Amino acid sequence: MKILVNRFLYNKVLLFTTLLFCSCLFADDSNLDYGFSEEENWSDDTETKSDLLEPINRSVYHFNDFIYLHFFDPVTNVYVNYTPESVRNSLNNFFTNLKYPVRFLSNVLQVKVKEAYYESLKFGINSTIGIFGIHTPSDKYDFLNEIPNEDLGQVLAVWGVPAGPFIMVPILGPSTLRDLSTRIVGREINPIDVSSDNWDTVDTQWIALLNTAEILSLNEEMLPRYKGLKKASIDPYTALRSTYFQQREQEVSQ
Amino acid sequence: MKIFRLFFWVLAFFLANHLWATNDPSIKIKETSECVLEILYSESQDIDKEILAYLSKNYNLNIIIRRTLGRNWNKIDSAHQNKVVELIKRLVLRAYIDGMHGKMKPEIKYSKTRYLSKKRAEVPTFVYLSDKPLALTYRVGLVSDQWEIFDIVVENISIVLTYRNQFDAFFDNNTSEALIEKLETLLTNENLGKSLPI
């Protein structure tokens, strides 16, 4: 009788362990979605819902595409081929440094006191030792390199202002109503963007030259990315919209 | 008694195997990335094929491809599903390869693995192609006791999400035949990826 009970228990244990191993080994394989939840496999349709003006946006996208590839690209190529890399880097540093007021104000409005202080410190070092920001001696300090790049659009997002509809802006590219409105406000505090009210009091030729240089500097970085994205995309418009939303979401969450 | 000893060893084997498989996913990613870079900067004539073969041996690439398609998988004719998977695999691989390719072999720095749950983790890396590092994060999931890559995030842009949104838009007005045609055009375009910093 004792042998029978032992045999019964032994068979039970063996059966249980076999079932356990089988379930461990084949549990995920039997799932066609590789164990990913439905939420993980489905896309978020926030982007599609916010693109209320899609037909117009797509037309603007085609217009921008034409301008980028037929006007900006050749000019940028000339700029890249005939300007030494050191000069291009200096120009890029100079414009980045000039946008300090926007970054500082955006940090202050989000009560990011430490970041606002670091931005000021970075601006101070690069504007003096770095000669008007053309060099970046602040790079030596890791804590000054890790400051998130803030703008007024992020301020509104943090304050709870909804992004509004997606807008493909002529020449400027993807944006939302919220971000576009802050660009206009940003002009008031950006030293090289002048609002139309002040056009009589400043040397417009000088400002136009600075703006052109800034566009060239920006295009040097952005155009290869744009062309790469376009070449590898099934639907370049959707790809651009998606990358814009993902980038902004990350910037706001930082 | 012998049967219990055998049972113990079998259990120990499975336990050790399980622990090995569930250890830090960054170890496998580091090994794989280094090998991919070796192939990428070698003088091989068929770099894409070699990398694809190597990656397929180490990871189940169907996972990341199925995730790029998401719910659109069911919209693809069953006769076309395998072909679509193979074409997207090549497209995603090309995007990854071009992102890693520069004038010089890049240096990759691996940060500490972030565990999001028992079955989900992120391996953040920084690819130094130039002075400015490129943030590249591998999202991994535990599938059949193996860490498998289910997304690659470059500078906060998820490859899976970007492609999935495109497939969503594409399938609104197109069929799987049109997708195959589009993918083949993209892959046969000789300029594709020559300047593709994802």
Side-chain angles (χ1 to χ4, degrees), chain A residues 10 17 28-29 33 35-36 40-43 47 224 228 231-235 238 242-243 246-247 250, chain B residues 3 7 66-67 70-71 120 144 150 155-158 162-168 182 186 192 195-196:
Chain A
Y10 170 74
T17 46
D28 286 327
D29 286 341
D33 291 326
F36 289 97
E40 285 175 300
N41 277 332
W42 280 47
S43 41
E47 289 175 23
K231 282 172 187 166
S233 298
I234 293 140
D235 178 358
T238 311
S242 181
T243 51
Q246 289 181 63
Q247 190 74 44
Q250 184 63 29
Chain B
I3 195 87
F7 173 73
R66 278 289 304 276
R67 283 177 47 75
R71 60 185 158 187
R120 299 285 180 269
S144 302
F150 71 82
E155 292 287 326
N156 304 321
I157 312 290
S158 152
T162 308
Y163 275 111
R164 194 186 292 169
N165 285 329
Q166 291 177 69
F167 289 130
D168 284 349
K182 181 79 186 175
L186 277 171
L192 172 68
S195 57
L196 188 66

Side-chain angles (χ1 to χ4, degrees), chain A residues 93-157:
Chain A
N93 293 338
F94 173 75
F95 288 116
T96 308
N97 193 53
L98 271 189
K99 285 183 184 150
Y100 157 76
V102 177
R103 293 193 299 269
F104 174 77
L105 185 68
S106 303
N107 276 312
V108 169
L109 292 174
Q110 291 177 76
V111 204
K112 290 183 171 178
V113 181
K114 192 176 81 179
E115 284 81 359
Y117 168 66
Y118 284 172
E119 276 291 357
S120 304
L121 197 61
K122 191 175 176 177
F123 178 74
I125 292 170
N126 290 342
S127 302
T128 52
I129 306 167
I131 316 165
F132 301 115
I134 59 172
H135 298 290
T136 51
S138 66
D139 286 352
K140 289 176 191 164
Y141 308 100
D142 284 344
F143 69 98
L144 293 179
N145 289 327
E146 290 161 4
I147 319 166
N149 205 1
E150 300 291 342
D151 58 54
L152 295 169
Q154 292 175 57
V155 174
L156 291 188

Side-chain angles (χ1 to χ4, degrees), chain B residues 88-106:
Chain B
I88 299 172
K89 204 182 279 183
R90 282 171 57 198
L91 191 71
V92 173
L93 182 75
R94 181 63 73 87
Y96 174 73
I97 288 173
D98 285 321
M100 299 286 271
H101 204 270
K103 286 175 192 165
M104 287 168 67
K105 188 176 169 181

Side-chain angles (χ1 to χ4, degrees), chain B residues 65-187:
Chain B
I65 306 306
R66 278 289 304 276
R67 283 177 47 75
T68 61
L69 285 161
R71 60 185 158 187
N72 298 302
W73 177 252
N74 297 325
K75 294 177 187 169
I76 303 169
D77 292 348
S78 53
H80 295 146
Q81 282 177 343
N82 283 342
K83 187 159 192 183
V84 167
V85 166
E86 285 311 308
L87 289 171
I88 299 172
K89 204 182 279 183
R90 282 171 57 198
L91 191 71
V92 173
L93 182 75
R94 181 63 73 87
Y96 174 73
I97 288 173
D98 285 321
M100 299 286 271
H101 204 270
K103 286 175 192 165
M104 287 168 67
K105 188 176 169 181
E107 188 193 346
I108 305 176
K109 286 186 179 167
Y110 299 85
S111 303
K112 204 176 170 187
T113 305
R114 288 194 294 258
Y115 290 93
L116 308 174
S117 71
K118 280 181 184 174
K119 288 192 166 191
R120 299 285 180 269
E122 286 183 347
V123 181
T125 69
F126 290 95
V127 182
Y128 287 81
L129 283 160
S130 59
D131 292 343
K132 202 181 167 193
L134 186 83
L136 195 149
T137 301
Y138 296 88
R139 287 186 177 155
V140 291
L142 203 59
V143 179
S144 302
D145 286 343
Q146 293 287 330
W147 286 109
E148 299 285 1
I149 298 169
F150 71 82
D151 197 1
I152 298 170
V153 182
V154 187
E155 292 287 326
N156 304 321
I157 312 290
S158 152
I159 283 188
V160 165
L161 193 58
T162 308
Y163 275 111
R164 194 186 292 169
N165 285 329
Q166 291 177 69
F167 289 130
D168 284 349
F170 189 86
F171 277 106
D172 280 345
N173 306 308
N174 293 286
T175 60
S176 51
E177 283 102 334
L179 178 64
I180 289 174
E181 202 178 309
K182 181 79 186 175
L183 289 168
E184 280 175 340
T185 312
L186 277 171
L187 284 163

